[in-house]
Amino acid sequence: MDRSKWKRVRFGDVVRCVDKTCRDPQAEGLTRVVGLEHLDPGELKITRWADVADGTSFTRTFRAGQVLFGKRRAYQRKAAVADFDGICSGDILVFEADSSRFSPALLPFVIASSSFFDHAIGTSAGSLSPRTKWKELAEYEFLVPSFADQHRIAALLWSIEDCRYKVAQAIASLAMVRKLILLSKFRGHSYKSVPLGDVFEVQLGKMLSPKARQVADQYPYLTNTNIQWGHLDLHDVRTMHFDERERDKFKLQKGDLLVCEGGEVGRAAIWNGELADCYYQKALHRLRPRSDCYLNEFLRELLKFFAQSGDLSKLTGHSTIAHLTAEKLRQLRIPNVPVAEQAEIVRVITLLDNQSQQLEDHTDYLQRVRGAILSWVCG
């Protein structure tokens, strides 16, 4: 494509802002309502909406093929193509390409470009809920390719978008399979249950103190911010003093399961010796199996399941800030699954997670490709 032949235009010269209203949507056969909350940042498809029959104060109409743009808090980057007719919020602008000069298929991607959103954010006014206006957006300038190039670029971008959508569906399917596997093992099972403390040693870490942060012989330690579901975040590892007795008591060993006592209660990850000499503070429980009859990886998945299902929150009491005490954690009853079956479940879950991560990486790649193309077209 010869970019030197493209023409620079104002957005308002090739796009119309459609401002049509309807006082009786149902009489016109309009059944769906789209608010800002239904537009997902960075997604061009509208997958959620409300029903007109449930009541709405919105009157602005849109038609299939038009682009909905969130003018309020433009930094949220909400814009999508409608594939149905409906009613939308007054904080949504409805755009339509002048098809004699600009391809409707390319319009959504120009609006989704970083340069367009930068213009929208830069022209927004208001402190708590900044809004941009059509007259400001109409002044945005970009290069318009020839019609032949417009169609080629749009076809490429829509193929990327279609791929992104299918990858997202695949990720959702893997997540559902994962959930069903865990449901079958953690709900309605025939295994006997035992208190977690019968099969795991549970110990809280060292209490923080100003003195321990100031004296010599500082050692790295982990806190709950370092613990994410299934992995460790070691970008910010703090240090404090541990005396000889404390080092014996609180030193981490490869395979230790670390569980958050507060915050997102139950969030857990396994320590694999990422640092040579590391300890942990009182915001974390350290779990070690009492025998080889229970796998840390299996318990980690069980805790995540219990956290998501609300079982752990029942153990934290009713205080303002939830805490999972060591005694309550020891009393948590867990299924006594045979270790060979635990290993097989962990193997399958790991396989699903690896496949999901590969798809997530592919999604990131597609996002970068789309962004590079849009920067080239709109830059």
PDB file of all heavy atoms in Angstrom, residues 307-336:
ATOM      1  N   ALA A 307     -12.440 -20.679  48.074  1.00  0.00           N
ATOM      2  CA  ALA A 307     -12.485 -19.216  48.094  1.00  0.00           C
ATOM      3  C   ALA A 307     -13.537 -18.699  47.125  1.00  0.00           C
ATOM      4  O   ALA A 307     -14.318 -17.791  47.448  1.00  0.00           O
ATOM      5  CB  ALA A 307     -11.115 -18.651  47.748  1.00  0.00           C
ATOM      6  N   GLN A 308     -13.576 -19.260  45.922  1.00  0.00           N
ATOM      7  CA  GLN A 308     -14.521 -18.804  44.907  1.00  0.00           C
ATOM      8  C   GLN A 308     -15.959 -19.187  45.242  1.00  0.00           C
ATOM      9  O   GLN A 308     -16.888 -18.485  44.847  1.00  0.00           O
ATOM     10  CB  GLN A 308     -14.113 -19.363  43.542  1.00  0.00           C
ATOM     11  CG  GLN A 308     -12.797 -18.793  43.025  1.00  0.00           C
ATOM     12  CD  GLN A 308     -12.351 -19.429  41.727  1.00  0.00           C
ATOM     13  OE1 GLN A 308     -12.776 -20.533  41.367  1.00  0.00           O
ATOM     14  NE2 GLN A 308     -11.477 -18.751  40.996  1.00  0.00           N
ATOM     15  N   SER A 309     -16.127 -20.281  45.959  1.00  0.00           N
ATOM     16  CA  SER A 309     -17.482 -20.729  46.308  1.00  0.00           C
ATOM     17  C   SER A 309     -18.002 -20.076  47.588  1.00  0.00           C
ATOM     18  O   SER A 309     -19.174 -20.245  47.935  1.00  0.00           O
ATOM     19  CB  SER A 309     -17.490 -22.251  46.474  1.00  0.00           C
ATOM     20  OG  SER A 309     -16.666 -22.649  47.565  1.00  0.00           O
ATOM     21  N   GLY A 310     -17.132 -19.341  48.302  1.00  0.00           N
ATOM     22  CA  GLY A 310     -17.551 -18.662  49.520  1.00  0.00           C
ATOM     23  C   GLY A 310     -17.356 -19.469  50.789  1.00  0.00           C
ATOM     24  O   GLY A 310     -17.657 -18.987  51.892  1.00  0.00           O
ATOM     25  N   ASP A 311     -16.843 -20.692  50.672  1.00  0.00           N
ATOM     26  CA  ASP A 311     -16.661 -21.525  51.855  1.00  0.00           C
ATOM     27  C   ASP A 311     -15.652 -20.916  52.835  1.00  0.00           C
ATOM     28  O   ASP A 311     -15.821 -21.018  54.052  1.00  0.00           O
ATOM     29  CB  ASP A 311     -16.197 -22.927  51.450  1.00  0.00           C
ATOM     30  CG  ASP A 311     -17.290 -23.715  50.753  1.00  0.00           C
ATOM     31  OD1 ASP A 311     -18.415 -23.206  50.661  1.00  0.00           O
ATOM     32  OD2 ASP A 311     -17.021 -24.837  50.284  1.00  0.00           O
ATOM     33  N   LEU A 312     -14.599 -20.289  52.317  1.00  0.00           N
ATOM     34  CA  LEU A 312     -13.596 -19.718  53.210  1.00  0.00           C
ATOM     35  C   LEU A 312     -14.117 -18.479  53.927  1.00  0.00           C
ATOM     36  O   LEU A 312     -13.769 -18.239  55.080  1.00  0.00           O
ATOM     37  CB  LEU A 312     -12.322 -19.371  52.423  1.00  0.00           C
ATOM     38  CG  LEU A 312     -11.462 -20.540  51.958  1.00  0.00           C
ATOM     39  CD1 LEU A 312     -10.199 -20.029  51.277  1.00  0.00           C
ATOM     40  CD2 LEU A 312     -11.084 -21.450  53.125  1.00  0.00           C
ATOM     41  N   SER A 313     -14.925 -17.685  53.230  1.00  0.00           N
ATOM     42  CA  SER A 313     -15.448 -16.460  53.859  1.00  0.00           C
ATOM     43  C   SER A 313     -16.300 -16.786  55.080  1.00  0.00           C
ATOM     44  O   SER A 313     -16.416 -15.974  56.003  1.00  0.00           O
ATOM     45  CB  SER A 313     -16.246 -15.638  52.853  1.00  0.00           C
ATOM     46  OG  SER A 313     -17.394 -16.356  52.414  1.00  0.00           O
ATOM     47  N   LYS A 314     -16.888 -17.971  55.118  1.00  0.00           N
ATOM     48  CA  LYS A 314     -17.702 -18.373  56.262  1.00  0.00           C
ATOM     49  C   LYS A 314     -16.849 -18.573  57.510  1.00  0.00           C
ATOM     50  O   LYS A 314     -17.372 -18.544  58.637  1.00  0.00           O
ATOM     51  CB  LYS A 314     -18.458 -19.659  55.947  1.00  0.00           C
ATOM     52  CG  LYS A 314     -19.445 -19.551  54.795  1.00  0.00           C
ATOM     53  CD  LYS A 314     -20.049 -20.904  54.460  1.00  0.00           C
ATOM     54  CE  LYS A 314     -20.973 -20.809  53.244  1.00  0.00           C
ATOM     55  NZ  LYS A 314     -21.516 -22.138  52.846  1.00  0.00           N
ATOM     56  N   LEU A 315     -15.548 -18.774  57.313  1.00  0.00           N
ATOM     57  CA  LEU A 315     -14.658 -19.021  58.448  1.00  0.00           C
ATOM     58  C   LEU A 315     -14.025 -17.750  58.994  1.00  0.00           C
ATOM     59  O   LEU A 315     -13.330 -17.799  60.007  1.00  0.00           O
ATOM     60  CB  LEU A 315     -13.531 -19.985  58.025  1.00  0.00           C
ATOM     61  CG  LEU A 315     -13.943 -21.348  57.473  1.00  0.00           C
ATOM     62  CD1 LEU A 315     -12.712 -22.119  57.023  1.00  0.00           C
ATOM     63  CD2 LEU A 315     -14.698 -22.143  58.536  1.00  0.00           C
ATOM     64  N   THR A 316     -14.245 -16.616  58.312  1.00  0.00           N
ATOM     65  CA  THR A 316     -13.511 -15.403  58.671  1.00  0.00           C
ATOM     66  C   THR A 316     -14.241 -14.509  59.654  1.00  0.00           C
ATOM     67  O   THR A 316     -13.711 -13.475  60.045  1.00  0.00           O
ATOM     68  CB  THR A 316     -13.194 -14.580  57.401  1.00  0.00           C
ATOM     69  OG1 THR A 316     -14.423 -14.206  56.767  1.00  0.00           O
ATOM     70  CG2 THR A 316     -12.358 -15.399  56.432  1.00  0.00           C
ATOM     71  N   GLY A 317     -15.437 -14.866  60.056  1.00  0.00           N
ATOM     72  CA  GLY A 317     -16.181 -14.036  60.989  1.00  0.00           C
ATOM     73  C   GLY A 317     -16.830 -12.860  60.291  1.00  0.00           C
ATOM     74  O   GLY A 317     -16.924 -12.809  59.071  1.00  0.00           O
ATOM     75  N   HIS A 318     -17.255 -11.884  61.069  1.00  0.00           N
ATOM     76  CA  HIS A 318     -18.014 -10.754  60.529  1.00  0.00           C
ATOM     77  C   HIS A 318     -17.326  -9.423  60.809  1.00  0.00           C
ATOM     78  O   HIS A 318     -17.981  -8.386  60.878  1.00  0.00           O
ATOM     79  CB  HIS A 318     -19.423 -10.746  61.120  1.00  0.00           C
ATOM     80  CG  HIS A 318     -20.184 -12.010  60.850  1.00  0.00           C
ATOM     81  ND1 HIS A 318     -20.721 -12.310  59.613  1.00  0.00           N
ATOM     82  CD2 HIS A 318     -20.444 -13.069  61.651  1.00  0.00           C
ATOM     83  CE1 HIS A 318     -21.319 -13.501  59.673  1.00  0.00           C
ATOM     84  NE2 HIS A 318     -21.160 -13.976  60.894  1.00  0.00           N
ATOM     85  N   SER A 319     -16.028  -9.420  60.998  1.00  0.00           N
ATOM     86  CA  SER A 319     -15.305  -8.174  61.234  1.00  0.00           C
ATOM     87  C   SER A 319     -15.189  -7.387  59.941  1.00  0.00           C
ATOM     88  O   SER A 319     -15.451  -7.891  58.851  1.00  0.00           O
ATOM     89  CB  SER A 319     -13.906  -8.466  61.788  1.00  0.00           C
ATOM     90  OG  SER A 319     -13.173  -9.256  60.864  1.00  0.00           O
ATOM     91  N   THR A 320     -14.774  -6.117  60.075  1.00  0.00           N
ATOM     92  CA  THR A 320     -14.649  -5.252  58.898  1.00  0.00           C
ATOM     93  C   THR A 320     -13.646  -5.813  57.906  1.00  0.00           C
ATOM     94  O   THR A 320     -13.874  -5.827  56.704  1.00  0.00           O
ATOM     95  CB  THR A 320     -14.226  -3.835  59.326  1.00  0.00           C
ATOM     96  OG1 THR A 320     -15.182  -3.345  60.263  1.00  0.00           O
ATOM     97  CG2 THR A 320     -14.169  -2.904  58.127  1.00  0.00           C
ATOM     98  N   ILE A 321     -12.501  -6.285  58.422  1.00  0.00           N
ATOM     99  CA  ILE A 321     -11.471  -6.872  57.569  1.00  0.00           C
ATOM    100  C   ILE A 321     -11.430  -8.368  57.831  1.00  0.00           C
ATOM    101  O   ILE A 321     -11.226  -8.813  58.965  1.00  0.00           O
ATOM    102  CB  ILE A 321     -10.095  -6.240  57.856  1.00  0.00           C
ATOM    103  CG1 ILE A 321     -10.144  -4.732  57.632  1.00  0.00           C
ATOM    104  CG2 ILE A 321      -9.030  -6.877  56.984  1.00  0.00           C
ATOM    105  CD1 ILE A 321      -8.864  -4.013  57.978  1.00  0.00           C
ATOM    106  N   ALA A 322     -11.638  -9.157  56.787  1.00  0.00           N
ATOM    107  CA  ALA A 322     -11.698 -10.610  56.944  1.00  0.00           C
ATOM    108  C   ALA A 322     -10.316 -11.167  57.255  1.00  0.00           C
ATOM    109  O   ALA A 322      -9.314 -10.762  56.665  1.00  0.00           O
ATOM    110  CB  ALA A 322     -12.245 -11.241  55.670  1.00  0.00           C
ATOM    111  N   HIS A 323     -10.269 -12.112  58.205  1.00  0.00           N
ATOM    112  CA  HIS A 323      -9.030 -12.796  58.551  1.00  0.00           C
ATOM    113  C   HIS A 323      -9.329 -14.277  58.732  1.00  0.00           C
ATOM    114  O   HIS A 323     -10.346 -14.648  59.329  1.00  0.00           O
ATOM    115  CB  HIS A 323      -8.419 -12.231  59.838  1.00  0.00           C
ATOM    116  CG  HIS A 323      -7.872 -10.850  59.690  1.00  0.00           C
ATOM    117  ND1 HIS A 323      -6.663 -10.590  59.093  1.00  0.00           N
ATOM    118  CD2 HIS A 323      -8.383  -9.647  60.040  1.00  0.00           C
ATOM    119  CE1 HIS A 323      -6.439  -9.287  59.089  1.00  0.00           C
ATOM    120  NE2 HIS A 323      -7.477  -8.686  59.661  1.00  0.00           N
ATOM    121  N   LEU A 324      -8.435 -15.099  58.246  1.00  0.00           N
ATOM    122  CA  LEU A 324      -8.556 -16.542  58.408  1.00  0.00           C
ATOM    123  C   LEU A 324      -7.509 -16.977  59.423  1.00  0.00           C
ATOM    124  O   LEU A 324      -6.316 -17.040  59.117  1.00  0.00           O
ATOM    125  CB  LEU A 324      -8.330 -17.248  57.067  1.00  0.00           C
ATOM    126  CG  LEU A 324      -8.378 -18.784  57.075  1.00  0.00           C
ATOM    127  CD1 LEU A 324      -9.750 -19.270  57.539  1.00  0.00           C
ATOM    128  CD2 LEU A 324      -8.060 -19.336  55.682  1.00  0.00           C
ATOM    129  N   THR A 325      -7.945 -17.229  60.647  1.00  0.00           N
ATOM    130  CA  THR A 325      -7.001 -17.591  61.703  1.00  0.00           C
ATOM    131  C   THR A 325      -6.432 -18.977  61.449  1.00  0.00           C
ATOM    132  O   THR A 325      -7.016 -19.797  60.730  1.00  0.00           O
ATOM    133  CB  THR A 325      -7.686 -17.569  63.074  1.00  0.00           C
ATOM    134  OG1 THR A 325      -8.673 -18.612  63.123  1.00  0.00           O
ATOM    135  CG2 THR A 325      -8.356 -16.224  63.334  1.00  0.00           C
ATOM    136  N   ALA A 326      -5.294 -19.233  62.079  1.00  0.00           N
ATOM    137  CA  ALA A 326      -4.658 -20.541  61.923  1.00  0.00           C
ATOM    138  C   ALA A 326      -5.572 -21.649  62.439  1.00  0.00           C
ATOM    139  O   ALA A 326      -5.660 -22.733  61.836  1.00  0.00           O
ATOM    140  CB  ALA A 326      -3.316 -20.555  62.656  1.00  0.00           C
ATOM    141  N   GLU A 327      -6.261 -21.370  63.561  1.00  0.00           N
ATOM    142  CA  GLU A 327      -7.124 -22.397  64.125  1.00  0.00           C
ATOM    143  C   GLU A 327      -8.307 -22.705  63.199  1.00  0.00           C
ATOM    144  O   GLU A 327      -8.663 -23.878  63.001  1.00  0.00           O
ATOM    145  CB  GLU A 327      -7.645 -21.943  65.498  1.00  0.00           C
ATOM    146  CG  GLU A 327      -8.408 -23.021  66.258  1.00  0.00           C
ATOM    147  CD  GLU A 327      -7.601 -24.305  66.444  1.00  0.00           C
ATOM    148  OE1 GLU A 327      -6.379 -24.234  66.635  1.00  0.00           O
ATOM    149  OE2 GLU A 327      -8.221 -25.384  66.365  1.00  0.00           O
ATOM    150  N   LYS A 328      -8.903 -21.671  62.604  1.00  0.00           N
ATOM    151  CA  LYS A 328     -10.002 -21.902  61.673  1.00  0.00           C
ATOM    152  C   LYS A 328      -9.518 -22.656  60.432  1.00  0.00           C
ATOM    153  O   LYS A 328     -10.230 -23.518  59.902  1.00  0.00           O
ATOM    154  CB  LYS A 328     -10.628 -20.558  61.263  1.00  0.00           C
ATOM    155  CG  LYS A 328     -11.407 -19.875  62.380  1.00  0.00           C
ATOM    156  CD  LYS A 328     -12.702 -20.616  62.654  1.00  0.00           C
ATOM    157  CE  LYS A 328     -13.522 -19.910  63.739  1.00  0.00           C
ATOM    158  NZ  LYS A 328     -14.028 -18.606  63.305  1.00  0.00           N
ATOM    159  N   LEU A 329      -8.318 -22.331  59.972  1.00  0.00           N
ATOM    160  CA  LEU A 329      -7.773 -23.025  58.805  1.00  0.00           C
ATOM    161  C   LEU A 329      -7.524 -24.489  59.131  1.00  0.00           C
ATOM    162  O   LEU A 329      -7.805 -25.371  58.311  1.00  0.00           O
ATOM    163  CB  LEU A 329      -6.481 -22.350  58.354  1.00  0.00           C
ATOM    164  CG  LEU A 329      -5.821 -22.911  57.085  1.00  0.00           C
ATOM    165  CD1 LEU A 329      -6.787 -22.883  55.901  1.00  0.00           C
ATOM    166  CD2 LEU A 329      -4.555 -22.124  56.749  1.00  0.00           C
ATOM    167  N   ARG A 330      -7.036 -24.761  60.321  1.00  0.00           N
ATOM    168  CA  ARG A 330      -6.803 -26.158  60.710  1.00  0.00           C
ATOM    169  C   ARG A 330      -8.106 -26.940  60.774  1.00  0.00           C
ATOM    170  O   ARG A 330      -8.132 -28.140  60.506  1.00  0.00           O
ATOM    171  CB  ARG A 330      -6.094 -26.210  62.065  1.00  0.00           C
ATOM    172  CG  ARG A 330      -4.668 -25.678  62.061  1.00  0.00           C
ATOM    173  CD  ARG A 330      -3.985 -25.935  63.402  1.00  0.00           C
ATOM    174  NE  ARG A 330      -2.676 -25.286  63.452  1.00  0.00           N
ATOM    175  CZ  ARG A 330      -2.427 -24.142  64.083  1.00  0.00           C
ATOM    176  NH1 ARG A 330      -3.427 -23.513  64.720  1.00  0.00           N
ATOM    177  NH2 ARG A 330      -1.229 -23.617  64.075  1.00  0.00           N
ATOM    178  N   GLN A 331      -9.195 -26.262  61.136  1.00  0.00           N
ATOM    179  CA  GLN A 331     -10.490 -26.944  61.274  1.00  0.00           C
ATOM    180  C   GLN A 331     -11.196 -27.153  59.931  1.00  0.00           C
ATOM    181  O   GLN A 331     -12.180 -27.908  59.862  1.00  0.00           O
ATOM    182  CB  GLN A 331     -11.397 -26.129  62.192  1.00  0.00           C
ATOM    183  CG  GLN A 331     -10.917 -26.066  63.635  1.00  0.00           C
ATOM    184  CD  GLN A 331     -11.731 -25.100  64.473  1.00  0.00           C
ATOM    185  OE1 GLN A 331     -12.733 -24.542  64.008  1.00  0.00           O
ATOM    186  NE2 GLN A 331     -11.314 -24.886  65.718  1.00  0.00           N
ATOM    187  N   LEU A 332     -10.730 -26.471  58.873  1.00  0.00           N
ATOM    188  CA  LEU A 332     -11.370 -26.605  57.564  1.00  0.00           C
ATOM    189  C   LEU A 332     -11.347 -28.064  57.123  1.00  0.00           C
ATOM    190  O   LEU A 332     -10.290 -28.710  57.063  1.00  0.00           O
ATOM    191  CB  LEU A 332     -10.619 -25.752  56.540  1.00  0.00           C
ATOM    192  CG  LEU A 332     -11.127 -25.826  55.097  1.00  0.00           C
ATOM    193  CD1 LEU A 332     -12.524 -25.221  54.991  1.00  0.00           C
ATOM    194  CD2 LEU A 332     -10.162 -25.119  54.146  1.00  0.00           C
ATOM    195  N   ARG A 333     -12.515 -28.588  56.802  1.00  0.00           N
ATOM    196  CA  ARG A 333     -12.597 -29.993  56.409  1.00  0.00           C
ATOM    197  C   ARG A 333     -12.382 -30.105  54.900  1.00  0.00           C
ATOM    198  O   ARG A 333     -12.981 -29.385  54.107  1.00  0.00           O
ATOM    199  CB  ARG A 333     -13.929 -30.599  56.821  1.00  0.00           C
ATOM    200  CG  ARG A 333     -14.163 -30.551  58.329  1.00  0.00           C
ATOM    201  CD  ARG A 333     -15.301 -31.440  58.755  1.00  0.00           C
ATOM    202  NE  ARG A 333     -14.966 -32.873  58.659  1.00  0.00           N
ATOM    203  CZ  ARG A 333     -14.334 -33.560  59.615  1.00  0.00           C
ATOM    204  NH1 ARG A 333     -13.942 -32.951  60.731  1.00  0.00           N
ATOM    205  NH2 ARG A 333     -14.089 -34.846  59.461  1.00  0.00           N
ATOM    206  N   ILE A 334     -11.501 -31.036  54.530  1.00  0.00           N
ATOM    207  CA  ILE A 334     -11.137 -31.235  53.135  1.00  0.00           C
ATOM    208  C   ILE A 334     -11.322 -32.701  52.766  1.00  0.00           C
ATOM    209  O   ILE A 334     -11.199 -33.580  53.617  1.00  0.00           O
ATOM    210  CB  ILE A 334      -9.682 -30.793  52.870  1.00  0.00           C
ATOM    211  CG1 ILE A 334      -8.714 -31.581  53.739  1.00  0.00           C
ATOM    212  CG2 ILE A 334      -9.527 -29.294  53.112  1.00  0.00           C
ATOM    213  CD1 ILE A 334      -7.255 -31.275  53.472  1.00  0.00           C
ATOM    214  N   PRO A 335     -11.642 -32.997  51.500  1.00  0.00           N
ATOM    215  CA  PRO A 335     -11.832 -34.398  51.094  1.00  0.00           C
ATOM    216  C   PRO A 335     -10.516 -35.168  51.122  1.00  0.00           C
ATOM    217  O   PRO A 335      -9.485 -34.672  50.683  1.00  0.00           O
ATOM    218  CB  PRO A 335     -12.373 -34.282  49.666  1.00  0.00           C
ATOM    219  CG  PRO A 335     -11.890 -32.956  49.191  1.00  0.00           C
ATOM    220  CD  PRO A 335     -11.869 -32.066  50.390  1.00  0.00           C
ATOM    221  N   ASN A 336     -10.577 -36.366  51.669  1.00  0.00           N
ATOM    222  CA  ASN A 336      -9.382 -37.217  51.784  1.00  0.00           C
ATOM    223  C   ASN A 336      -9.247 -38.073  50.522  1.00  0.00           C
ATOM    224  O   ASN A 336      -9.473 -39.274  50.524  1.00  0.00           O
ATOM    225  CB  ASN A 336      -9.485 -38.085  53.033  1.00  0.00           C
ATOM    226  CG  ASN A 336      -8.158 -38.712  53.403  1.00  0.00           C
ATOM    227  OD1 ASN A 336      -7.108 -38.263  52.951  1.00  0.00           O
ATOM    228  ND2 ASN A 336      -8.205 -39.753  54.214  1.00  0.00           N
TER     229      ASN A 336
END
